[in-house]
Amino acid sequence: MWAVTVQDSGPSNGATPPVLGWAQVPDPTPGPGEVLIAVTASAVNRADVLQAAGNYAPPPGASQILGLECSGRIAAVGDGVDGWSVGDQCCALLAGGGYAELVAVPVQQLLPVPDGVDLVSAAALPEAACTVWSNLVMAAGLSAGQTLLVHGGGSGIGTMAIQVGKALGAGVAVTAGRAETLTACAELGADLLINHRTDDFVERIADAGGADVILDVMGAKYLSRNISALAVGGRLVVVGMQGGTTGELNIQALMRKQGSVISTALRFRPLTGTGSKQAVVQQVRDRLWPPVAAGTVRPVIDTVLPMTQAGQAHRRLVAGGHFGKMVLQVPTHDGIDDNQRTSEGTDR
Amino acid sequence: MWAVTVQDSGPSNGATPPVLGWAQVPDPTPGPGEVLIAVTASAVNRADVLQAAGNYAPPPGASQILGLECSGRIAAVGDGVDGWSVGDQCCALLAGGGYAELVAVPVQQLLPVPDGVDLVSAAALPEAACTVWSNLVMAAGLSAGQTLLVHGGGSGIGTMAIQVGKALGAGVAVTAGRAETLTACAELGADLLINHRTDDFVERIADAGGADVILDVMGAKYLSRNISALAVGGRLVVVGMQGGTTGELNIQALMRKQGSVISTALRFRPLTGTGSKQAVVQQVRDRLWPPVAAGTVRPVIDTVLPMTQAGQAHRRLVAGGHFGKMVLQVPTHDGIDDNQRTSEGTDR
């Protein structure tokens, strides 16, 4: 099969971006309890950028190929798989391997394509849906009438979190660094818009009574201010560390808020059991797919690029200014021979 | 009424302990929704020691008198109080004022004296019971088959947490600094005994598969090691900061554990509503009082001293080596005139 490969990770300080290629690699084989997906599309996550630069190793046993989610059709079924058949459309949460024509995945990580969502767009759903649902609902217990603060409202996670927050009946505040991003967040339902370049989010959210739940991607840089921004009983959920991994925690400040700091990552969850990928995927299917099918919550897609241009998509993510997800579509075989695909594949 | 007074807070660095007295002060009056308790006994909490030294201000509106819990009989009932009558035995969670002959308290903070517990011993229950239940069960969701790590197993909180953990069906590990304390913890049901002076608790608990819940009183000093000691999905609950208030939080380490850091204090909870004192007291009454009445969970009392010797009790708490709670019993009027009480009252 063809897959995106990391031709050169670049320096570990990220001074020059990694070079991604498009090359032939061995096909994966579905093991017991797994299916093989003929990938229609994958989507870009920040973890992919870190992994390409050599800063985020896949968990043991996972594919070394980039890509944490995909959509496609089932091409083969391993032993012991019930409920899925060859030819079925699906999307999936992956521990890796989505930037490829084929990927093998445990059946517990499969989701149906929600009604009303096309197969390419479905690639933009699994990571954002599972990340947002597992954190806002399962970890932080966000409920109707509460206030949610979403940092980075224009990201794939952010655009999903705004919609899920509103669907749950919460008030939603967002931060972003561009006026046009905030306007687009408002169109998705955000109630309180905070430009972090000009406004102090702690003051703005305090005026609104504090945040019952904060979904954060900045990590260390925002740790103290996020705790200041919590309402009494508030929960800070950190799912990204764009502002560093280690920060000062004032436990007394947390105690006065009766607060919690929670950090989770889908990729390191066990496959089955309490807090597993299976548990998250099942709740997403049961509780989030209905509002997606109803059009209340929709995948927000910034751009769809051929998978051969994954490097360009990564550079756009790092540069910022995107709104929603970048989808990477596997080139079709029609009219493209392998030589052509090789020549279009190198994406420097 | 007579009450313990802080005659001299001492230097803020705690180099010399505060001087406590026993003096006449104005009687409290029960407001609407409050009862007046004729106090039989109170008990010592570390917060009392901090407050006496001027390092822990009571919340706005609370009594300035020390004492976060008491037992006694209802002496008067304010407007709008149902279900409690003059003469009823009770114990109560207090925002302050327990080190006195009389205290006024909102009815939401009242608990009946569990069957089989005498009225003096009941003074040792409210803070430990409410702290342990609100944190282990309501905040951290400890359940059967999980592993609980209790730091300071010999404290009032620790002795209650061991018993509640076992009553919930959890495995219980404890740390303490003395062999005899650990032996006594084992008699209360603790399964894994860790002497923190000679053993690395992170290694010991890792050998047991990590802690699903840690109940911590050390704060900053243990923050990193506590996160290392968590099992996947583990919850660190910090209820004391004997080792400092501000520590480094490695969010990446927390993320790899899918972990939570939670900090709560009963004293700063609102009276009613979500996460309130009322919510805690109600659950304690419904779910913890039955095993207390059955003798499965019992108040562990180190010493009972006259309330006039509160200063001695504080010094014993600070010195360490106690096991369970120190109870302070209000002197009876029989045979003691006010002069005698004054002369015995100054406790330097």
Side-chain angles (χ1 to χ4, degrees):
Chain A
M1 69 170 180
W2 289 82
V4 172
T5 56
V6 180
Q7 298 194 333
D8 181 354
S9 289
S12 64
N13 65 5
T16 60
V19 179
L20 302 183
W22 180 247
Q24 281 192 301
V25 300
D27 286 2
T29 311
E34 295 187 338
V35 302
L36 186 71
I37 301 174
V39 176
T40 298
S42 185
V44 178
N45 289 282
R46 199 163 289 268
D48 306 342
V49 177
L50 298 174
Q51 182 176 333
N55 292 327
Y56 190 23
S63 168
Q64 297 297 306
I65 296 170
L66 302 176
L68 299 176
E69 58 191 328
C70 76
S71 60
R73 285 188 176 80
I74 293 179
V77 170
D79 288 343
V81 170
D82 290 326
W84 295 92
S85 307
V86 171
D88 285 353
Q89 291 195 0
C90 64
C91 55
L93 191 66
L94 306 173
Y99 288 18
E101 289 182 320
L102 296 168
V103 65
V105 57
V107 70
Q108 291 89 347
Q109 295 173 211
L110 285 181
L111 284 156
V113 175
D115 287 347
V117 176
D118 68 90
L119 192 56
V120 171
S121 299
L125 284 172
E127 264 286 332
C130 291
T131 298
V132 165
W133 192 265
S134 62
N135 284 292
L136 295 191
V137 178
M138 298 171 75
L142 181 67
S143 61
Q146 295 188 332
T147 297
L148 167 67
L149 171 62
V150 178
H151 287 302
S155 70
I157 297 288
T159 52
M160 177 61 67
I162 293 166
Q163 298 178 82
V164 171
K166 294 307 296 179
L168 291 167
V172 177
V174 294
T175 64
R178 290 175 173 82
E180 58 271 29
T181 304
L182 290 169
T183 302
C185 290
E187 286 164 8
L188 279 182
D191 304 291
L192 177 64
L193 311 175
I194 305 171
N195 188 322
H196 63 71
R197 296 186 200 274
T198 54
D199 286 358
D200 178 347
F201 75 81
V202 177
E203 284 179 17
R204 292 290 306 281
I205 200 77
D207 291 344
D212 298 295
V213 176
I214 301 177
L215 187 65
D216 175 67
V217 291
M218 294 305 292
K221 183 178 174 186
Y222 275 11
L223 182 57
S224 289
R225 279 184 285 164
N226 275 332
I227 290 169
S228 298
L230 288 176
V232 171
R235 292 83 72 196
L236 165 62
V237 192
V238 184
V239 298
M241 285 167 277
Q242 294 174 41
T245 59
T246 302
E248 273 213 340
L249 178 66
N250 183 332
I251 302 167
Q252 199 162 49
L254 189 65
M255 181 180 277
R256 289 206 171 241
K257 291 294 174 69
Q258 314 283 340
S260 309
V261 180
I262 304 166
S263 187
T264 77
L266 286 170
R267 203 175 195 183
F268 296 101
R269 289 178 183 267
L271 181 60
T272 58
T274 308
S276 66
K277 290 174 184 172
Q278 180 179 31
V280 173
V281 166
Q282 190 64 48
Q283 274 212 18
V284 164
R285 181 176 182 158
D286 292 346
R287 297 184 56 192
L288 182 50
W289 261 209
V292 173
T296 315
V297 174
R298 59 184 180 80
V300 176
I301 294 174
D302 177 81
T303 39
V304 180
L305 289 169
M307 196 172 277
T308 51
Q309 293 175 27
Q312 184 181 325
H314 282 202
R315 289 190 291 278
R316 178 163 170 76
L317 185 80
V318 171
H322 58 287
F323 190 77
K325 302 279 293 192
M326 274 162 279
V327 169
L328 300 174
Q329 192 168 2
V330 171
T332 58
H333 285 267
D334 307 345
I336 306 182
D337 69 25
D338 284 349
N339 283 336
Q340 281 177 296
R341 294 165 78 199
T342 305
S343 63
E344 78 178 6
T346 302
D347 173 38
R348 289 175 186 271
Chain B
M1 68 170 181
W2 290 82
V4 172
T5 56
V6 180
Q7 297 192 335
D8 181 353
S9 289
S12 64
N13 64 5
T16 59
V19 178
L20 302 183
W22 180 246
Q24 281 192 301
V25 299
D27 287 2
T29 311
E34 295 187 338
V35 301
L36 186 71
I37 301 175
V39 176
T40 298
S42 185
V44 178
N45 289 281
R46 199 164 289 268
D48 305 342
V49 177
L50 297 175
Q51 182 176 333
N55 293 327
Y56 191 23
S63 168
Q64 296 298 305
I65 295 171
L66 302 176
L68 299 176
E69 57 192 328
C70 75
S71 60
R73 286 188 176 80
I74 293 179
V77 169
D79 289 343
V81 170
D82 290 326
W84 295 92
S85 305
V86 171
D88 286 353
Q89 291 194 0
C90 64
C91 54
L93 191 67
L94 305 173
Y99 288 18
E101 290 183 321
L102 296 169
V103 64
V105 55
V107 70
Q108 292 89 346
Q109 295 173 214
L110 285 181
L111 283 156
V113 175
D115 287 347
V117 177
D118 68 89
L119 193 56
V120 171
S121 299
L125 284 172
E127 265 285 333
C130 291
T131 297
V132 166
W133 193 265
S134 62
N135 284 292
L136 295 191
V137 178
M138 298 171 76
L142 181 67
S143 61
Q146 295 189 332
T147 297
L148 167 67
L149 171 61
V150 178
H151 287 303
S155 69
I157 297 287
T159 53
M160 178 60 69
I162 292 167
Q163 298 179 83
V164 171
K166 294 307 295 179
L168 291 168
V172 177
V174 294
T175 64
R178 290 174 174 84
E180 59 270 30
T181 304
L182 290 169
T183 302
C185 290
E187 286 164 7
L188 279 183
D191 304 290
L192 178 63
L193 311 175
I194 305 170
N195 187 322
H196 63 70
R197 296 187 202 273
T198 56
D199 287 357
D200 179 347
F201 76 79
V202 178
E203 285 178 17
R204 292 290 307 280
I205 200 77
D207 290 344
D212 298 296
V213 176
I214 300 177
L215 187 64
D216 175 68
V217 291
M218 294 305 293
K221 184 179 173 184
Y222 275 12
L223 182 58
S224 288
R225 279 184 285 165
N226 276 332
I227 290 169
S228 299
L230 288 177
V232 171
R235 292 82 73 197
L236 165 62
V237 192
V238 184
V239 298
M241 284 166 278
Q242 294 174 40
T245 58
T246 302
E248 272 213 340
L249 178 66
N250 184 331
I251 302 167
Q252 200 162 46
L254 189 66
M255 181 180 278
R256 288 202 171 244
K257 291 294 174 70
Q258 314 284 339
S260 309
V261 180
I262 305 166
S263 187
T264 76
L266 286 170
R267 202 174 195 183
F268 296 102
R269 289 179 183 267
L271 180 60
T272 59
T274 307
S276 65
K277 291 176 183 171
Q278 180 178 33
V280 173
V281 166
Q282 190 64 47
Q283 274 213 16
V284 164
R285 181 176 183 157
D286 292 346
R287 298 185 54 193
L288 183 50
W289 261 209
V292 173
T296 314
V297 173
R298 59 185 179 80
V300 176
I301 294 173
D302 178 82
T303 40
V304 179
L305 289 169
M307 196 172 277
T308 51
Q309 293 174 27
Q312 185 181 322
H314 281 202
R315 288 190 292 277
R316 179 162 169 75
L317 184 81
V318 171
H322 58 286
F323 190 77
K325 300 281 292 193
M326 274 162 278
V327 169
L328 300 174
Q329 192 168 1
V330 171
T332 58
H333 285 268
D334 306 346
I336 306 182
D337 68 27
D338 283 351
N339 284 337
Q340 281 177 295
R341 295 166 75 198
T342 304
S343 65
E344 77 176 6
T346 301
D347 172 38
R348 288 175 190 271

